[in-house]
């Protein structure tokens, strides 16, 4: 008789922990992304998870760290924190492995989440002096100043 994945006791523990602790995993993912925002860098997820679940046994801690990795990879926690200006676009893009801010908006759209701001808002705020060019670049994850200048120019021309 072949060994079915459902007969694997470790798999049973993993699924049980992920189901019972789903809310905790989602909250931890948002807390982790916020911590990255506070530190202005991508924090080592494994070390952060080991600290967060230090009172749990090794098996549960490993399960939770793996679940945290998977939750972050989905991108929902990342864009939820990003749309509230709690993490920069550069860090958000690194978490989801994307090249530009349109990927962040795609995740928002796919999951029915409202954007806290649109690129045209950033362009307007930069043009009006309510936000520095550097801050505009940071929140959208733009590396090249010419790209933010182009965004502002397109907004002024009514294209965005």
């Amino acid at each position: 008789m072949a060994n079915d994945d459902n007969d694997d006791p470790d798999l049973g523990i993993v699924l049980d922990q992920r189901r019972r602790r789903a809310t905790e995993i989602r909250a931890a993912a948002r807390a982790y992304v916020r911590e990255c925002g506070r530190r202005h860098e991508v924090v080592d997820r494994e070390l952060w998870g080991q600290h967060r679940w230090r009172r749990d046994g090794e098996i549960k801690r490993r399960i939770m760290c793996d679940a945290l990795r998977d939750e972050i990879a989905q991108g929902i926690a990342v864009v939820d924190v990003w749309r509230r200006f709690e993490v920069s676009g550069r860090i958000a893009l690194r978490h989801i492995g994307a090249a530009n801010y349109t990927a962040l908006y795609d995740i928002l759209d796919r999951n029915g989440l409202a954007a806290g701001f649109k690129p045209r808002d950033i362009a307007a705020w930069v043009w009006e002096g309510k936000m520095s060019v550097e801050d505009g670049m940071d929140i959208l994850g733009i590396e090249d100043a010419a790209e933010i200048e182009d965004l502002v120019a397109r907004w002024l021309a009514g294209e965005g």
Side-chain angles (χ1 to χ4, degrees):
M1 181 175 202
N3 186 13
D4 188 315
D5 282 342
N6 294 330
D7 293 336
D8 183 353
D10 289 337
L11 180 61
I13 289 173
V14 169
L15 294 176
D16 180 57
Q17 288 301 311
R18 285 188 177 207
R19 284 184 192 118
R20 287 189 313 116
R21 298 174 93 176
T23 301
E24 180 183 351
I25 293 164
R26 284 190 300 274
R30 284 168 175 77
Y32 166 75
V33 175
R34 283 185 185 99
E35 182 64 20
C36 293
R38 277 191 291 279
R39 292 189 190 184
H40 304 288
E41 66 181 355
V42 175
V43 175
D44 184 299
R45 191 177 47 242
E46 286 296 316
L47 289 176
W48 189 89
Q50 293 293 326
H51 177 74
R52 170 115 180 175
W53 293 293
R54 66 184 170 275
R55 293 183 183 158
D56 288 329
E58 184 58 35
I59 293 172
K60 285 185 183 177
R61 195 169 38 248
R62 174 81 264 133
I63 291 166
M64 296 304 283
C65 287
D66 289 348
L68 175 65
R69 179 200 61 226
D70 296 346
E71 188 73 21
I72 295 296
Q74 289 178 17
I76 298 168
V78 174
V79 296
D80 186 42
V81 173
W82 171 73
R83 71 184 177 148
R84 300 169 198 276
F85 294 98
E86 295 180 77
V87 68
S88 74
R90 291 181 182 128
I91 292 172
L93 290 170
R94 286 187 58 200
H95 279 303
I96 64 167
N100 62 47
Y101 62 84
T102 58
L104 299 170
Y105 287 102
D106 289 344
I107 293 170
L108 288 171
D109 288 342
R110 270 196 316 269
N111 292 284
L113 298 170
F117 52 88
K118 299 278 187 170
R120 66 177 174 261
D121 298 327
I122 301 296
W125 297 335
V126 167
W127 176 253
E128 295 164 358
K130 294 178 182 176
M131 177 181 281
S132 71
V133 170
E134 293 79 18
D135 287 344
M137 290 173 62
D138 188 51
I139 198 63
L140 290 175
I142 295 172
E143 298 290 335
D144 184 8
E147 189 176 345
I148 193 86
E149 291 168 6
D150 182 54
L151 179 66
V152 171
R154 283 183 292 147
W155 173 77
L156 285 170
E159 296 175 18

